[in-house]
Amino acid sequence: MKIGNRFFDTKNHTYIMGILNVTPDSFSDGGKWNHMDEALKHTEAMIADGADIIDIGGESTRPGHTPVSADEEAQRVLPVIEAVKKHFDIPVSVDTFKSSVAESSIQAGADLVNDIWGLKYDPKMAAVIAKYDVACCLMHNKSNTEYQNFLIDMLAETQECCQSCKTGWH
């Protein structure tokens, strides 16, 4: 699989995604990387620690988070994507479930879209990914945690996600 200017041999190798949240309310780091200098230092440290790709997120998805507009999310991630691409030779992922943020992030240099809703939140997301022919990371997520049978339900929802990919690419 090609992501940015690198080939990822996902069949024979495991890769590390370094997380760079530029949000004031992230569950994992609570706003430590909101200033450009800190974001770049953290990126450098993650690369030194072995990160193969940097995932940049501008909206917390922790339980009880406050949603932000697409414009606010873009204002948070775009300058960081551009700076990371300028200073480091590493693929960059944007962690978003909004197609407009994904599109502007790709235009700013993002090489992969990491969608925690697996293309189910924004019906335009698959088309954006297809338009720019970028890699995507699709996760399983749902509004509630009610399952009849977790494994069967999760696999069925993953199949729906894959069908969205096929639809977006046509």
Side-chain angles (χ1 to χ4, degrees):
M1 163 187 283
K2 188 169 182 189
I3 302 173
N5 63 358
R6 296 202 186 155
F7 179 76
F8 286 74
D9 180 7
T10 58
K11 187 174 184 179
N12 299 300
H13 187 75
T14 301
Y15 295 92
I16 298 171
M17 179 181 274
I19 306 301
L20 180 60
N21 291 316
V22 289
T23 63
D25 59 344
S26 170
F27 69 91
S28 63
D29 50 45
K32 286 184 182 178
W33 322 120
N34 288 358
H35 300 285
M36 189 63 73
D37 289 343
E38 286 85 4
L40 292 174
K41 286 178 190 174
H42 186 52
T43 299
E44 185 173 34
M46 288 189 290
I47 293 168
D49 287 342
D52 299 293
I53 189 166
I54 302 299
D55 186 54
I56 301 171
E59 178 175 7
S60 175
T61 54
R62 66 172 171 71
H65 75 282
T66 301
V68 298
S69 69
D71 287 342
E72 184 174 347
E73 184 180 356
Q75 288 173 10
R76 292 176 180 178
V77 298
L78 296 178
V80 179
I81 291 168
E82 291 170 348
V84 168
K85 294 299 283 189
K86 179 180 177 183
H87 290 91
F88 304 100
D89 181 27
I90 192 164
V92 169
S93 168
V94 62
D95 180 349
T96 187
F97 50 87
K98 298 174 187 139
S99 62
S100 64
V101 175
E103 185 160 23
S104 58
S105 295
I106 294 164
Q107 292 170 347
D111 304 295
L112 180 144
V113 174
N114 178 11
D115 182 349
I116 67 162
W117 287 101
L119 307 177
K120 292 181 180 182
Y121 180 87
D122 185 334
K124 296 177 183 175
M125 183 66 91
V128 167
I129 293 167
K131 175 181 176 181
Y132 292 94
D133 194 26
V134 296
C136 59
C137 174
L138 306 175
M139 298 210 251
H140 168 75
N141 203 349
K142 60 190 280 178
S143 298
N144 64 56
T145 56
E146 295 175 18
Y147 294 91
Q148 297 297 317
N149 179 312
F150 174 77
L151 186 56
I152 292 170
D153 292 352
M154 188 270 303
L155 289 173
E157 291 174 13
T158 301
Q159 284 179 322
E160 290 175 19
C161 177
C162 290
Q163 187 58 43
S164 293
C165 287
K166 291 176 183 176
T167 304
W169 264 257
H170 291 102

